[in-house]
Amino acid sequence: MSCGAAVAQTASHAATTHRSPGKVVQSPSTQATAIPASIPTTTSVVAPRTVRRTPIGRIPYAGFPGQPLTTITTSYGNNLVFNRGTGEASGFGPSGMTPWGQDWTGIRPHHVRKGDPFDWLKYVPLNESGSIWLSFSGETRLRNWFETRPMLGTKTPNDSGRFGVRNLYGVDLHLGSHLRFFGQLVNGDAAGWAAYGYGTTYRKRLDVQQAFVELSGKFLGARAGFLFGRQQFLDAPTYLLYNRETPNVPLSWNGFRAYSIWSRFRIDAYDFVQTDDSQTGMFQDTENYKNRLYGVDMTWAPPDFRFLGGDGYSFLDLYYIGYKLAGSGAAIATATSSSSGSTTRNNFGGRYYGVAGPIEFSIGGTWQGGVFQYASSNKPRSVNAFAVNTLIGYRLKLATSPFLGLQTDLYSGGDDARKTGNVGTFIVPFNPQTNYLDTTTYLSGSNLVSLAPLVRFSPFKQVSVQVKYPLLWRESTNDAVYMSSGRYTFAHQLHGGFIGMAPQASLTWQILPHVTWQQYVSRFMVSSGMARAGASSGTYYQSNFIFRF
């Protein structure tokens, strides 16, 4: 979790227990391997038996969400199983990315790391017994971009340089063991040269990012909780729903969430309306009732196993995710532009993922039904779309922990010339994980096929590198090429299915326990068919300097 967490440096500290909503992390005292001082113990990390990982590989937010990590524990406490890997299986997002998903009940003054000035902010008792206490969290991020041909040449001017800064600071008040209040403020600003696309998600005066109450306790043998208010939500595969990380203001929702977590099974139900962050004044964000998110997610952790001489564990997600939306995200493509309207999308799917010895894998599929209704005529059309997303790779037993993998993604397309019949274009309107498909974010998960070999390794203890080479096609040549806000419109008609290639590299350097530097570079090379239509190849560079506690 947060880098200011207490650190277990020897086996004598390994019995410390830390919890987060729906999560219980307990390092078994049977472990005799020391954990490097750079590793937060609030993460579900225990020294693996089969592969010794470098410190950067064990810091969750230094990793790439969606790729499992080989951090296999050898014995388990209740609910510990859902914290393994990136922590996504817990339903509260990748560990370290979600201060609202942390519970520092297990932290006491004698557990904090000497010399870290931020540890004491994680547990501030307000009464003598310590049952009423505060926990503070914070993040300041400096981000800059440079693009030679923004959005495949469809945005001007060229050679655009942008800069953004955001602040996210929160406080978590616990009133006993069953009631807590979490609040978080956000503000952001943006500048640059030849800049484009700035809106209220980039330039935001001080406002409420999150403000919710949680009731939790034991129910039918499970750890159960109910959250109500404005909150972020990450209980979905990151390629379907994530946190809107490119702009300064993350995605947030208003409504309720209820969860129950047993030792190897959990269930989560929710119903939200999106936060309306289009306001320009201070503390003016309200609710956008046109955009809704609701559903049920279940995760089962099958028994652990041995495979190819190593430990293995896995998770099976089954989910229903419903969208209701209007505006540009709901529009469907026509032969020359798009038709506005509203849509309901019902997503039924599953994902099986985990670690099997040296093999790490994620296999998921989603069928998307529902209806689209034209704004001009109210005429409805049924939706029949689908997506398949996989990642499989092999981690070598070498000092740099190299991971060799192949990521494949297929999002169905439709026919933009049709005005009746099924709409076949899959949509992912609520900001999937930024770097999952393509660092540039020029393409969206609609009418797309991606085949992407990748290599990840840690050349130094605090450095992680990933090199990826996506090859990209249209799934249907009768449908458009899509960006996150709708279809691309080029000067000439597009022919052929091949879109192009986007070789890219990512580097994460954990400079200090609370300071991270991330860099991304990509060269988007459009196909000859795209070039004839009017698209342009271009270079993209992004840098993030992050302070987080």
Side-chain angles (χ1 to χ4, degrees):
M1 295 191 169
S2 196
C3 236
V7 173
Q9 299 186 43
T10 65
S12 64
H13 293 105
T16 303
T17 300
H18 307 286
R19 293 174 295 182
S20 57
K23 304 182 183 181
V24 176
V25 180
Q26 185 174 11
S27 301
S29 58
T30 56
Q31 289 292 331
T33 305
I35 300 176
S38 60
I39 304 170
T41 55
T42 47
T43 308
S44 57
V45 173
V46 177
R49 290 199 312 201
T50 56
V51 180
R52 184 173 181 81
R53 295 190 54 73
T54 55
I56 189 70
R58 294 181 181 171
I59 298 175
Y61 59 77
F64 301 87
Q67 178 183 327
L69 304 178
T70 309
T71 51
I72 300 174
T73 55
T74 55
S75 62
Y76 313 103
N78 286 337
N79 299 330
L80 173 60
V81 293
F82 294 110
N83 292 277
R84 292 175 294 177
T86 63
E88 285 184 81
S90 68
F92 286 80
S95 300
M97 300 295 293
T98 56
W100 48 269
Q102 301 173 9
D103 182 345
W104 294 82
T105 305
I107 293 295
R108 293 295 184 269
H110 62 276
H111 289 147
V112 302
R113 181 172 55 206
K114 294 181 179 179
D116 191 316
F118 295 97
D119 274 357
W120 70 273
L121 291 173
K122 291 301 177 182
Y123 176 78
V124 181
L126 300 181
N127 63 348
E128 186 174 351
S129 67
S131 61
I132 301 175
W133 55 282
L134 292 171
S135 180
F136 296 91
S137 61
E139 175 190 301
T140 294
R141 186 188 74 180
L142 308 178
R143 167 171 284 186
N144 65 279
W145 309 257
F146 175 74
E147 302 167 88
T148 59
R149 298 293 184 270
M151 304 302 294
L152 305 182
T154 63
K155 297 290 185 181
T156 56
N158 295 326
D159 299 324
S160 171
R162 295 186 288 168
F163 177 82
V165 56
R166 81 172 181 196
N167 297 292
L168 288 164
Y169 284 81
V171 60
D172 200 350
L173 171 63
H174 288 251
L175 301 175
S177 58
H178 303 295
L179 177 65
R180 72 167 179 138
F181 297 87
F182 182 84
Q184 186 182 52
L185 299 177
V186 62
N187 88 294
D189 207 348
W193 68 93
Y196 72 95
Y198 287 149
T200 54
T201 58
Y202 287 90
R203 291 175 172 151
K204 172 62 63 179
R205 299 185 69 182
L206 192 66
D207 218 310
V208 176
Q209 176 66 20
Q210 299 189 77
F212 65 82
V213 57
E214 180 183 8
L215 295 170
S216 62
K218 287 290 186 179
F219 178 72
L220 298 177
R223 177 178 170 85
F226 180 84
L227 291 77
F228 180 78
R230 181 171 297 177
Q231 56 194 282
Q232 291 174 217
F233 179 75
L234 298 176
D235 191 5
T238 60
Y239 48 76
L240 294 180
L241 171 70
Y242 199 56
N243 207 28
R244 194 168 62 189
E245 281 298 303
T246 296
N248 284 327
V249 181
L251 196 64
S252 68
W253 302 91
N254 303 269
F256 77 87
R257 174 185 186 181
Y259 65 86
S260 293
I261 303 180
W262 290 265
S263 60
R264 286 189 172 268
F265 179 78
R266 69 175 189 86
I267 187 169
D268 197 348
Y270 51 92
D271 189 3
F272 300 116
V273 298
Q274 189 176 349
T275 299
D276 181 359
D277 47 29
S278 64
Q279 311 303 315
T280 57
M282 186 179 295
F283 295 112
Q284 289 187 354
D285 286 357
T286 55
E287 292 79 38
N288 176 8
Y289 287 93
K290 294 181 179 179
N291 290 356
R292 288 185 57 200
L293 176 72
Y294 46 90
V296 177
D297 181 57
M298 296 177 288
T299 301
W300 173 50
D304 295 81
F305 56 90
R306 297 278 294 176
F307 186 76
L308 295 180
D311 293 305
Y313 63 87
S314 61
F315 304 104
L316 176 64
D317 289 344
L318 297 175
Y319 52 82
Y320 163 71
I321 304 173
Y323 309 148
K324 286 185 182 295
L325 66 152
S328 61
I332 61 173
T334 65
T336 57
S337 58
S338 60
S339 290
S340 61
S342 59
T343 189
T344 297
R345 299 290 176 115
N346 299 308
N347 300 274
F348 296 88
R351 180 189 179 202
Y352 183 58
Y353 56 105
V355 172
I359 297 174
E360 303 175 14
F361 63 93
S362 173
I363 303 169
T366 306
W367 176 78
Q368 190 173 83
V371 64
F372 171 82
Q373 194 164 19
Y374 286 96
S376 58
S377 64
N378 288 327
K379 182 179 179 180
R381 290 177 63 184
S382 297
V383 174
N384 185 6
F386 64 91
V388 179
N389 309 89
T390 71
L391 172 65
I392 188 166
Y394 192 93
R395 191 174 297 279
L396 301 175
K397 297 180 181 180
L398 300 175
T400 58
S401 299
F403 175 83
L404 310 177
L406 178 66
Q407 178 181 322
T408 62
D409 300 277
L410 186 156
Y411 302 90
S412 67
D415 188 338
D416 58 18
R418 297 184 62 179
K419 297 182 180 180
T420 60
N422 290 338
V423 175
T425 307
F426 194 90
I427 62 171
V428 282
F430 296 133
N431 303 96
Q433 203 270 327
T434 302
N435 295 300
Y436 176 79
L437 273 177
D438 170 35
T439 292
T440 66
T441 68
Y442 291 166
L443 298 180
S444 180
S446 298
N447 191 34
L448 184 68
V449 177
S450 174
L451 180 68
L454 63 91
V455 178
R456 184 183 178 198
F457 60 97
S458 300
F460 306 102
K461 289 183 177 181
Q462 305 302 132
V463 176
S464 180
V465 176
Q466 178 170 288
V467 179
K468 188 176 177 182
Y469 204 113
L471 293 91
L472 306 154
W473 293 264
R474 288 190 290 170
E475 194 275 331
S476 169
T477 56
N478 295 321
D479 202 355
V481 177
Y482 289 84
M483 61 181 115
S484 60
S485 57
R487 62 161 290 164
Y488 278 101
T489 301
F490 301 113
H492 307 287
Q493 186 175 358
L494 174 61
H495 297 281
F498 188 49
I499 296 173
M501 302 174 288
Q504 54 203 251
S506 309
L507 182 147
T508 301
W509 178 18
Q510 189 70 28
I511 301 174
L512 295 170
H514 300 279
V515 179
T516 306
W517 187 20
Q518 297 173 323
Q519 298 182 75
Y520 304 93
V521 63
S522 177
R523 175 67 180 176
F524 201 110
M525 299 180 289
V526 300
S527 67
S528 57
M530 290 278 287
R532 285 192 295 269
S536 298
S537 299
T539 300
Y540 177 97
Y541 171 76
Q542 182 192 118
S543 174
N544 301 279
F545 192 80
I546 305 167
F547 164 75
R548 181 186 287 117
F549 70 89

